[in-house]
Amino acid sequence: MRIANRIVSFLIILSGLFLTFQSSNLDYMVDGTPGPGFMPYWLGISIALVAFIPAVKTFTKFASKLANPFKAGDFTNFFIVIGSSTLVMIITPVTGLLVALGLMVGVIAKLMGTQSWKTVIGLTVCTPVLLFGIFVKVLSVPLPKGIFGF
Amino acid sequence: METLQNLLFGLSVANDPMNLLYCLVGVVFGTLVGALPGLGPAAGIAVLLPLTFGANPISGIIMLTGIYYGAMYGGSITSILINTPGDSAAVMTTLDGYPLAKKGRAAQALGMAAFASIIGGTISVIAFMFLAPALAVFAVRFGPPEYFSLMVLGLTTIAGMTGKYPSKGFISALVGLFFATVGLDLMQGIPRFTFGSMHLYEGLDFIPVAMGLFGIAEILTCGTEECTIKIDKKDVTWRKLLPSKEDWKFSLPHIFRGTGIGFFIGMLPGAGATIASFISYGVAKKTSKRSEEFGTGVIEGVAAPESSNNAASIGAMVPMLTLGVPGSGSTAIMLGALMMFGLRPGPMLFENNPDFVWGLIGSMYIGNIFLLILAILAVPLFIKILNVPRPILNATVMSFILIGSYSLNNSMFDVGLTIGFGALGFFMKKMDYPAAPMVLALVLGILLETSLRQSMIISGGNPMIFFMRPVSGSILGISILAIFYPLIKKAIQSYQKSRTA
């Protein structure tokens, strides 16, 4: 946790400084009053300054009380969910959003531990139907269609 | 006496079978829409507006009001059960509602959310009836400096509610404020931090951010067995749904306080239920006898924001009806609907259309009763959601989150943002950076910056304007105290420890 906190604080400080640098491209004051660059400038400085506090704490006794936040296997769900939802973004232009979401639901359910294929296939089919009923029929949201025409 | 006569008249108007039906439909749809992640009250009213096209103005506005406070309650359902707020006003409910559900007290949390909402709503209707005209005059005196101070107060109270590490809470809030600056500058029309993307010109909407940071992050960190919430069927008896005597003892003062805060803040144009709910939560945390336990699942942590956001939804009606100034995004849409019905909101509305105004007030009482019945009847159904195996629940919720973020602007870019913020939320959660301050700062950021710049224009660049005006100065004084409160508290505690040692 100590090293993780240091790295994160360092990244936040860098981001704050980058923000301050970027905001210098915008007008700081316009006709004697704050311009579009005023608030981002001070936000960048404030972020960098406040981020020093957790960084400094990692050098004190306080840091030894903190446990490592990342355990083995923590990233399994991360890769399953973020990976399959990113796949939704990629395949939607081809399959349409409903089909893509149906596939995503099946993949997540299976990889996260659902044993029964019947349940997985049921979810893959029923979820898009339910979403179609709510979002297309009731709420009239125009969803992206794919090669299947829905 | 005249007010009571008017109320009786209003109840007779609201009791018309057609109006009752519209009210019921509004409350039911509102609760459902509020429970869907991504579709808050404003989106719900906008989406369901066409249903009122054939109705008379009274029936139409009764239905829209029902949707409004139904959605306010509906937002708390997903907050408590799956840690995904249905709308921004329900963000604070997740902080203690979800831990309560994890402890096996989801029924009591939902029950308390319903009772707190209804108590807050009913008291506010009474206050609305008696105080509306006078309070509207006071609220309209709030200028940009007062708004700025109010936003600062709202954000600084976050320090008190971020649990163990206030510095991380402040970082989260500051980054949220930065996200609020993304998009076209409101005053000069210059793009800021858009990196050439047209999608970012309108800024970051809070819904993809909130759904990512709360909903997806929850799925990512809680997909394993230890996070499965098991509800015993015995825990879902009608008796268990009612909060215990002890729950009431802890919650009642916070419900009344939350109602007062919510009603007052709801009246301020632009402030709305979100800021009301998080100020109420912050105040509840600071005044509670067990403030250390906030965030771990205390019942008053649900009661305070829920009473407050419902009270704010009634309070927001005050400037809308008496001044024609909407108090929130939802009331802005309702204002448009009123105009569509051919009514002109303003001080003369009470004189020219008493049947409309008092019918609406009467319907609020009836709507609150409908909401209570619906909440109690539906709670066992909602609880059953928790017994669905975690992989199935995660997969289904994920599909609702992604389609909800798409339906916001019919944009796949928003879906991508939601996924991105989900990944960010995972790391924030792991590193103990709270997500609530970031989301709330994003919601308030635009108003805060606009108020700051307007104030400086008014004062010719003199920042003392914030301290010279009595209301603004007082609010800022409280904000400064709120910033240093954790330090003062620590100093007092260490002093007391050293004295006892």
Side-chain angles (χ1 to χ4, degrees):
Chain A
M1 185 73 168
R2 190 193 289 252
I3 294 183
N5 258 317
R6 260 179 224 166
I7 294 170
V8 170
S9 298
F10 179 68
L11 288 175
I12 296 172
I13 292 167
L14 275 186
S15 310
L17 295 176
F18 174 72
L19 179 58
T20 308
F21 173 73
Q22 282 284 309
S23 59
S24 63
N25 297 327
L26 302 161
D27 290 335
Y28 181 76
M29 294 295 269
V30 178
D31 300 330
T33 57
F38 180 88
M39 187 139 146
Y41 178 82
W42 285 107
L43 277 175
I45 289 179
S46 310
I47 289 169
L49 283 177
V50 181
F52 264 108
I53 300 172
V56 168
K57 277 189 178 174
T58 61
F59 293 98
T60 63
K61 275 184 194 169
F62 172 82
S64 58
K65 294 178 198 167
L66 303 170
N68 184 4
F70 298 103
K71 294 176 198 116
D74 266 0
F75 283 95
T76 313
N77 286 338
F78 182 86
F79 289 126
I80 293 170
V81 176
I82 298 295
S84 54
S85 48
T86 308
L87 219 60
V88 168
M89 297 283 295
I90 296 166
I91 64 168
T92 293
V94 182
T95 60
L97 187 59
L98 285 173
V99 175
L101 287 176
L103 291 171
M104 180 198 77
V105 168
V107 169
I108 293 178
K110 185 67 196 165
L111 295 180
M112 275 192 164
T114 307
Q115 299 295 324
S116 156
W117 274 105
K118 226 191 250 174
T119 310
V120 172
I121 294 166
L123 276 172
T124 308
V125 175
C126 293
T127 311
V129 174
L130 179 72
L131 296 175
F132 178 79
I134 298 172
F135 287 89
V136 178
K137 286 291 165 193
V138 179
L139 301 174
S140 306
V141 177
L143 298 178
K145 290 177 184 170
I147 50 171
F148 308 109
F150 51 83
Chain B
M1 196 63 195
E2 194 191 337
T3 309
L4 287 176
Q5 275 176 348
N6 285 332
L7 176 64
L8 287 175
F9 168 62
L11 284 171
S12 70
V13 173
N15 271 323
D16 177 84
M18 210 56 203
N19 289 343
L20 282 178
L21 182 68
Y22 270 99
C23 188
L24 179 66
V25 170
V27 170
V28 171
F29 271 93
T31 308
L32 289 174
V33 163
L36 285 177
L39 286 171
I45 293 170
V47 167
L48 298 173
L49 191 60
L51 294 179
T52 64
F53 282 172
N56 66 56
I58 299 172
S59 305
I61 201 73
I62 282 174
M63 184 175 163
L64 293 178
T65 314
I67 294 169
Y68 187 25
Y69 47 71
M72 285 291 175
Y73 171 67
S76 67
I77 295 167
T78 44
S79 294
I80 291 167
L81 296 184
I82 54 173
N83 201 27
T84 304
D87 67 293
S88 61
V91 168
M92 301 320 299
T93 311
T94 60
L95 298 185
D96 278 283
Y98 186 62
L100 274 169
K102 277 177 142 179
K103 285 180 184 172
R105 300 198 67 214
Q108 286 90 340
L110 283 168
M112 181 53 84
F115 281 108
S117 294
I118 285 137
I119 294 170
T122 307
I123 295 173
S124 298
V125 175
I126 297 168
F128 176 87
M129 208 168 65
F130 288 100
L131 304 173
L135 287 175
V137 170
F138 179 70
V140 84
R141 277 194 218 149
F142 266 56
E146 284 76 20
Y147 275 113
F148 174 77
S149 305
L150 194 69
M151 302 298 122
V152 172
L153 174 66
L155 288 173
T156 48
T157 50
I158 289 170
M161 63 178 152
T162 45
K164 291 182 277 182
Y165 315 115
S167 59
K168 291 188 174 180
F170 274 113
I171 291 171
S172 181
L174 288 167
V175 174
L177 281 176
F178 160 65
F179 286 142
T181 65
V182 173
L184 286 178
D185 174 51
L186 288 176
M187 289 191 167
Q188 291 201 321
I190 296 167
R192 297 188 292 184
F193 311 106
T194 55
F195 304 104
S197 169
M198 290 291 282
H199 294 289
L200 288 173
Y201 271 42
E202 285 185 26
L204 293 174
D205 204 298
F206 101 92
I207 289 174
V209 177
M211 288 200 297
L213 291 178
F214 287 97
I216 298 182
E218 181 58 36
I219 291 170
L220 296 177
T221 50
C222 256
T224 44
E225 274 303 307
E226 79 249 29
C227 293
T228 304
I229 299 166
K230 292 277 177 210
I231 301 282
D232 198 323
K233 274 188 181 170
K234 282 180 275 177
D235 290 336
V236 201
T237 56
W238 294 111
R239 221 171 158 190
K240 289 267 170 94
L241 294 177
L242 300 172
S244 66
K245 253 187 191 172
E246 204 190 17
D247 289 340
W248 281 115
K249 200 182 95 187
F250 277 117
S251 301
L252 221 46
H254 298 289
I255 290 176
F256 290 128
R257 205 176 287 125
T259 302
I261 293 169
F263 185 71
F264 177 71
I265 290 175
M267 281 192 311
L268 303 173
T274 307
I275 185 167
S277 67
F278 77 78
I279 287 183
S280 294
Y281 185 88
V283 171
K285 185 177 176 180
K286 281 183 179 156
T287 54
S288 173
K289 285 174 190 162
R290 44 181 188 176
S291 61
E292 303 294 323
E293 292 170 42
F294 267 63
T296 62
V298 289
I299 199 81
E300 60 268 39
V302 171
E306 279 303 309
S307 62
S308 188
N309 68 29
N310 257 45
S313 67
I314 308 284
M317 300 273 180
V318 175
M320 184 189 81
L321 291 177
T322 56
L323 302 163
V325 179
S328 64
S330 313
T331 45
I333 298 167
M334 286 166 76
L335 184 75
L338 283 181
M339 289 169 169
M340 189 184 76
F341 292 135
L343 295 164
R344 184 180 288 180
M348 298 308 287
L349 190 69
F350 282 79
E351 279 189 30
N352 295 342
N353 301 88
D355 53 339
F356 172 81
V357 175
W358 291 101
L360 176 64
I361 292 171
S363 80
M364 288 176 182
Y365 283 101
I366 293 165
N368 272 318
I369 296 166
F370 281 154
L371 191 61
L372 181 65
I373 296 167
L374 178 75
I376 289 175
L377 287 178
V379 162
L381 182 76
F382 294 134
I383 293 285
K384 280 188 182 159
I385 294 169
L386 290 176
N387 282 333
V388 175
R390 195 76 200 192
I392 296 173
L393 186 64
N394 281 347
T396 320
V397 169
M398 195 63 201
S399 68
F400 270 92
I401 288 174
L402 294 191
I403 202 167
S405 62
Y406 173 83
S407 61
L408 186 68
N409 293 315
N410 299 336
S411 158
M412 284 305 284
F413 181 78
D414 284 339
V415 179
L417 267 186
T418 310
I419 298 167
F421 275 100
L424 176 68
F426 170 78
F427 288 104
M428 283 176 67
K429 211 167 176 183
K430 287 283 177 190
M431 297 299 297
D432 284 327
Y433 281 85
M438 185 180 284
V439 174
L440 297 166
L442 174 65
V443 172
L444 299 178
I446 294 170
L447 193 60
L448 183 136
E449 189 184 8
T450 311
S451 309
L452 168 72
R453 289 165 72 180
Q454 284 173 341
S455 305
M456 297 296 262
I457 289 169
I458 293 170
S459 69
N462 182 4
M464 288 310 287
I465 187 173
F466 299 111
F467 297 96
M468 300 297 279
R469 293 168 63 128
V471 177
S472 169
S474 313
I475 298 173
L476 268 188
I478 298 168
S479 311
I480 292 165
L481 276 178
I483 291 173
F484 292 107
Y485 177 78
L487 290 176
I488 296 167
K489 198 176 164 189
K490 231 178 200 175
I492 292 170
Q493 277 172 349
S494 57
Y495 173 73
Q496 281 173 339
K497 252 187 197 171
S498 66
R499 278 198 62 169
T500 49

